Amino acid sequence: MSPYTQPFITLLGLLTLTSAQSSTVNTPISSSALSSPSATRTVSRSSSATYSQSDVPTGTAIAGNYDGAYRPQVHFSPPQGFMNDPNGMFVDDNGTYHLYYQYNPVANVAGRQHWGHATSDDLYTWTNQPIAIFPGGPTEGVFSGSAVVDANNTSGFFPNQTNGVVAIYTINVSENQTQHIAYSYDNGYSFTKYQGNPVLVPGGTNPTQFRDPKVIWHEQTQRWIMVVAYPIDFEIGIFSSPNLIDWTAESNVSHIGVTGLQYECPNMVEIPVQGGSSNESMYLLLISINPGAPLGGSITEYFIGTFNGTLFDPLDSTITLNWASNWQYTNVVPTAGDQLGDGFRSVMTVPRGHYLKDLPRFGLSLISYPWNINSIVESELASNDSLGNGTVLLDYSNVESGALYFEANITGLKTSDSLDGTLNFIFSSSVSGESISGGTFVSSGDVWLDRGHTDGFSNPFFTDKFSATGLYNEDDGAWRLSGIIDRSIIEIFLNGGELSGSTVFFPTRPLDTMALRVSGLNSTATVSVGVWALKAAWLDQANVNGTVRGNVTTGGNSTTLGAMRLL
Ligand SMILES: *[C@@H]1O[C@H](CO)[C@@H](O)[C@H](O)[C@H]1NC(C)=O
Ligand SMILES: *[C@@H]1O[C@H](CO)[C@@H](O)[C@H](O)[C@H]1NC(C)=O
Ligand SMILES: *[C@@H]1O[C@H](CO)[C@@H](O)[C@H](O)[C@H]1NC(C)=O
Ligand SMILES: *[C@@H]1O[C@H](CO)[C@@H](O)[C@H](O)[C@H]1NC(C)=O
Ligand SMILES: *[C@@H]1O[C@H](CO)[C@@H](O)[C@H](O)[C@H]1NC(C)=O
Ligand SMILES: *[C@@H]1O[C@H](CO)[C@@H](O)[C@H](O)[C@H]1NC(C)=O
Ligand SMILES: *[C@@H]1O[C@H](CO)[C@@H](O)[C@H](O)[C@H]1NC(C)=O
Ligand SMILES: *[C@@H]1O[C@H](CO)[C@@H](O)[C@H](O)[C@H]1NC(C)=O
Ligand SMILES: *[C@@H]1O[C@H](CO)[C@@H](O)[C@H](O)[C@H]1NC(C)=O
Ligand SMILES: *[C@@H]1O[C@H](CO)[C@@H](O)[C@H](O)[C@H]1NC(C)=O
Ligand SMILES: *[C@@H]1O[C@H](CO)[C@@H](O)[C@H](O)[C@H]1NC(C)=O
Ligand SMILES: CC(=O)N[C@H]1CO[C@H](CO)[C@@H](O)[C@@H]1O
């Protein structure tokens, strides 16, 4: 029985460039022998207590108002308070996806970190669950980590079941960061902390900088593998364990790629290669850097390699969810109102499917496309399969979600001589004229996004414009752009995800008009366009007051947030 754990990556950054910009760092993993930082298991027993502050509810989901102008309808955002990294996604044996996330339920800025929890059957429609992991005391933060299904009871925590879940996470105190585990008998809804925590403590000279463990099962060596960051040493530690409790240092990956100021949230996943021999797959090591990205702020970069040359049974496509924000301004974006409960902060991207593809010039590259987007489509708004040079104009003010998916394919292209013209889109407000625009120049391969014409937020780090360059592949004879816009976030994908970018934006009035224009195409080319309204996955769950209550079947604790105030 093989556990099906879903990898997560933490995306710090408004624009994820998953091909061109990262090609310079697209190098094989080089594992060097363990150098300075090291870690050992401690035998000291620390508190396994769960400390819940009086203003943080236990045993009940926090309700949220999902009816705001900035509330995305097919993207995950927390009921209230502040969210950052996704943590420990996995699928339980019921087929339900579990998302945990870095969550401060008591303020609209990062601070008192818990593991928030939500579940979904389709990754677009979410049910908020009670907070899953609480700190052990007032000075502790439960930082990022991951979760695995211990199907074989390697830990010994699960004598009677094959669906036991173990969460592995960082406990942050001002003196140090250590790795802890907690186990769940009920498919990941509630956790018991391990009595022998911590299971891994920092060595070296920076005890306060050792975090974000990501654990996978390594079939070939029949043991658990953890990647964990030594952020300011620019090292990723690789550890192994037979039981999730005792960890042995294996190797370090040092100073690869763009280092920024810190390495964070490493992730290692196995990923299929498209067009390779049927069982071919490789390992992908992802590292978030913060700040110091080429486009400003924080990004995730990836490295493709083998992990001792092993091949697994092919997995289903890798799916990731990403935090769509940026540490340089995430604590101040205008989605939260004055008081806790008026709004929320931070949004995850839509789920993305991934595979590796050998692209001309770039070589093996990570492809990212919106996963199963058709499952959340409500209706078709426009369709034209012979647009040529022309415009699709659309008033979508009556779409309840305010969320659209669109595709535009230019086909019939031949040699690079035939690459001419532009394909542009603009979403605007019929009231204020504010807009988000973007598009692609077919001849140069450039793709761009501009959020500068929205007036709801301004900040020196809130970059106006983004661009990247894709490459035409003659074998495809096509140039494709698709995207999702959802009230305050837009995600675009070039050529099925060879390049992708996500950006948040904050107009003072809702955007309600779409125009998609094609001009200057070669006469051999044709254009097909489709635009679809997406469901209001959150509002469909709301009561008459727009409140989404989450899982209310758990009973337990009825602490309410009525008296809470912004800290
Ligand atoms: C599994 O799904 C069924 C049907 O939705 C539900 O009744 C049951 O509570 C779920 N079990 C767990 C452990 O979540
Ligand atoms: C569980 O045991 C089976 C049989 O020994 C093995 O193939 C599999 O890799 C193990 N998986 C985990 C997660 O322990
Ligand atoms: C699970 O592990 C515990 C502790 O090692 C052991 O007592 C129990 O028998 C194991 N259960 C199974 C089903 O292997
Ligand atoms: C496992 O089952 C045994 C026998 O029914 C029971 O005594 C024990 O409490 C169970 N353990 C857990 C962790 O549920
Ligand atoms: C980390 O700091 C805590 C609180 O000050 C202390 O009790 C603990 O021993 C420290 N752990 C390590 C491994 O240094
Ligand atoms: C259109 O494309 C063809 C190649 O298919 C090329 O020979 C021709 O010059 C192009 N026309 C223009 C006006 O660029
Ligand atoms: C598009 O416009 C260009 C000139 O701007 C023209 O050469 C071309 O034939 C037109 N293409 C189509 C498909 O109508
Ligand atoms: C665009 O191309 C993709 C990939 O071939 C295809 O799946 C999709 O249906 C096309 N969309 C439109 C609107 O033609
Ligand atoms: C909606 O809000 C009104 C006014 O605050 C309140 O009386 C009513 O109980 C609420 N309805 C629900 C279903 O919460
Ligand atoms: C609510 O939580 C319980 C566990 O506490 C779980 O069994 C159940 O499936 C959840 N229901 C929904 C709708 O998520
Ligand atoms: C309910 O909350 C109180 C205060 O936070 C806590 O002491 C108690 O253990 C909780 N009960 C349950 C069942 O979670
Ligand atoms: C588990 C395993 O086979 N590890 C090997 C991975 O490759 C290095 C370098 O060849 C070996 O030293 C390890 O023993």
Side-chain angles (χ1 to χ4, degrees):
M1 177 178 304
S2 89
Y4 185 11
T5 59
Q6 293 292 344
F8 67 92
I9 67 175
T10 297
L11 161 72
L12 306 164
L14 289 183
L15 186 66
T16 338
L17 295 174
T18 53
S19 181
Q21 302 301 85
S22 355
S23 61
T24 53
V25 293
N26 187 358
T27 52
I29 294 170
S30 63
S31 293
S32 59
L34 185 69
S35 55
S36 49
S38 65
T40 49
R41 186 185 167 206
T42 177
V43 289
S44 78
R45 292 162 80 85
S46 86
S47 166
S48 61
T50 284
Y51 168 86
S52 55
Q53 289 108 324
S54 57
D55 52 358
V56 178
T58 62
T60 186
I62 295 173
N65 186 322
Y66 280 83
D67 194 16
Y70 293 146
R71 267 294 189 181
Q73 292 300 310
V74 301
H75 288 79
F76 181 77
S77 59
Q80 63 173 36
F82 180 87
M83 171 180 79
N84 51 296
D85 310 349
N87 298 145
M89 268 178 79
F90 78 99
V91 182
D92 70 23
D93 60 357
N94 242 359
T96 299
Y97 292 93
H98 291 252
L99 168 68
Y100 304 95
Y101 56 90
Q102 284 290 286
Y103 187 35
N104 182 357
V106 294
N108 288 327
V109 295
R112 284 156 56 185
Q113 300 303 104
H114 294 67
W115 269 32
H117 182 206
T119 55
S120 178
D121 293 331
D122 65 2
L123 293 167
Y124 293 97
T125 312
W126 293 94
T127 303
N128 286 319
Q129 303 290 346
I131 290 172
I133 303 181
F134 294 80
T139 60
E140 274 192 8
V142 187
F143 278 21
S144 287
S146 52
V148 296
V149 176
D150 184 14
N152 291 339
N153 186 31
T154 63
S155 60
F157 296 143
F158 308 110
N160 303 331
Q161 63 185 117
T162 56
N163 61 352
V165 180
V166 176
I168 308 97
Y169 52 92
T170 299
I171 288 291
N172 179 76
V173 292
S174 57
E175 293 85 354
N176 55 53
Q177 294 182 332
T178 52
Q179 315 317 323
H180 292 231
I181 61 177
Y183 48 93
S184 171
Y185 298 127
D186 64 354
N187 269 352
Y189 289 95
S190 63
F191 285 88
T192 305
K193 293 181 179 179
Y194 172 55
Q195 287 286 339
N197 278 332
V199 295
L200 200 55
V201 303
T205 51
N206 294 308
T208 61
Q209 300 287 328
F210 181 45
R211 61 179 174 271
D212 308 339
K214 168 66 201 296
V215 174
I216 57 172
W217 175 251
H218 190 242
E219 188 79 32
Q220 197 187 43
T221 55
Q222 291 286 299
R223 56 190 187 174
W224 301 99
I225 296 292
M226 178 198 292
V227 289
V228 59
Y230 301 97
I232 62 175
D233 295 308
F234 303 117
E235 304 253 16
I236 302 300
I238 300 181
F239 292 83
S240 68
S241 174
N243 57 10
L244 296 164
I245 296 167
D246 302 293
W247 292 94
T248 305
E250 294 289 336
S251 66
N252 278 12
V253 179
S254 307
H255 290 89
I256 49 173
V258 176
T259 53
L261 285 183
Q262 298 187 340
Y263 275 179
E264 288 190 319
C265 297
N267 188 4
M268 187 157 70
V269 293
E270 193 196 18
I271 188 165
V273 180
Q274 193 186 64
S277 62
S278 58
N279 279 351
E280 199 181 341
S281 61
M282 298 193 81
Y283 278 87
L284 196 63
L285 177 68
L286 300 110
I287 305 176
S288 294
I289 59 173
N290 166 37
L295 294 161
S298 339
I299 59 163
T300 298
E301 54 188 332
Y302 69 91
F303 307 89
I304 299 163
T306 58
F307 191 53
N308 268 22
T310 52
L311 289 180
F312 278 79
D313 291 334
L315 290 179
D316 286 347
S317 57
T318 303
I319 305 171
T320 62
L321 269 185
N322 312 285
W323 182 46
S325 195
N326 187 316
W327 279 119
Q328 287 178 328
Y329 51 74
T330 192
N331 281 327
V332 294
V333 294
T335 58
D338 293 336
Q339 292 195 341
L340 182 68
D342 289 353
F344 66 100
R345 275 208 179 106
S346 298
V347 178
M348 298 296 181
T349 65
V350 294
R352 292 177 174 199
H354 297 287
Y355 58 90
L356 296 174
K357 188 178 177 188
D358 200 356
L359 298 180
R361 296 222 346 243
F362 292 132
L364 268 190
S365 303
L366 180 65
I367 308 300
S368 302
Y369 60 92
W371 185 78
N372 206 11
I373 185 75
N374 292 334
S375 71
I376 200 75
V377 163
E378 182 162 83
S379 61
E380 184 177 271
L381 299 180
S383 167
N384 185 328
D385 55 16
S386 57
L387 184 64
N389 299 322
T391 299
V392 173
L393 192 63
L394 196 67
D395 170 351
Y396 65 97
S397 53
N398 62 354
V399 172
E400 185 196 15
S401 63
L404 306 182
Y405 175 64
F406 63 97
E407 291 179 347
N409 296 340
I410 302 173
T411 53
L413 297 172
K414 303 209 157 72
T415 57
S416 51
D417 300 354
S418 62
L419 302 180
D420 280 310
T422 58
L423 189 166
N424 294 331
F425 60 80
I426 180 164
F427 295 90
S428 56
S429 162
S430 58
V431 177
S432 65
E434 292 163 287
S435 64
I436 293 291
S437 55
T440 176
F441 293 88
V442 182
S443 52
S444 62
D446 292 333
V447 54
W448 58 278
L449 258 180
D450 182 356
R451 62 178 172 183
H453 302 280
T454 49
D455 303 331
F457 181 58
S458 94
N459 180 283
F461 299 112
F462 196 67
T463 316
D464 274 6
K465 297 182 179 64
F466 310 95
S467 63
T469 304
L471 268 188
Y472 173 62
N473 184 347
E474 263 179 34
D475 294 341
D476 289 350
W479 194 253
R480 281 185 263 266
L481 189 69
S482 61
I484 298 160
I485 187 165
D486 189 4
R487 296 193 179 195
S488 62
I489 179 170
I490 184 168
E491 306 195 57
I492 62 170
F493 303 87
L494 184 71
N495 292 335
E498 291 175 11
L499 285 176
S500 64
S502 304
T503 181
V504 293
F505 58 90
F506 307 106
T508 61
R509 297 303 180 100
L511 305 185
D512 56 11
T513 307
M514 173 183 188
L516 189 143
R517 282 194 192 91
V518 179
S519 64
L521 283 193
N522 188 291
S523 55
T524 63
T526 52
V527 184
S528 76
V529 176
V531 183
W532 295 269
L534 300 178
K535 290 177 189 157
W538 283 109
L539 281 178
D540 289 351
Q541 302 177 54
N543 67 19
V544 291
N545 296 332
T547 304
V548 175
R549 306 207 71 89
N551 187 347
V552 291
T553 64
T554 50
N557 216 308
S558 60
T559 313
T560 64
L561 290 177
M564 285 177 55
R565 288 288 172 269
L566 181 62
L567 296 183

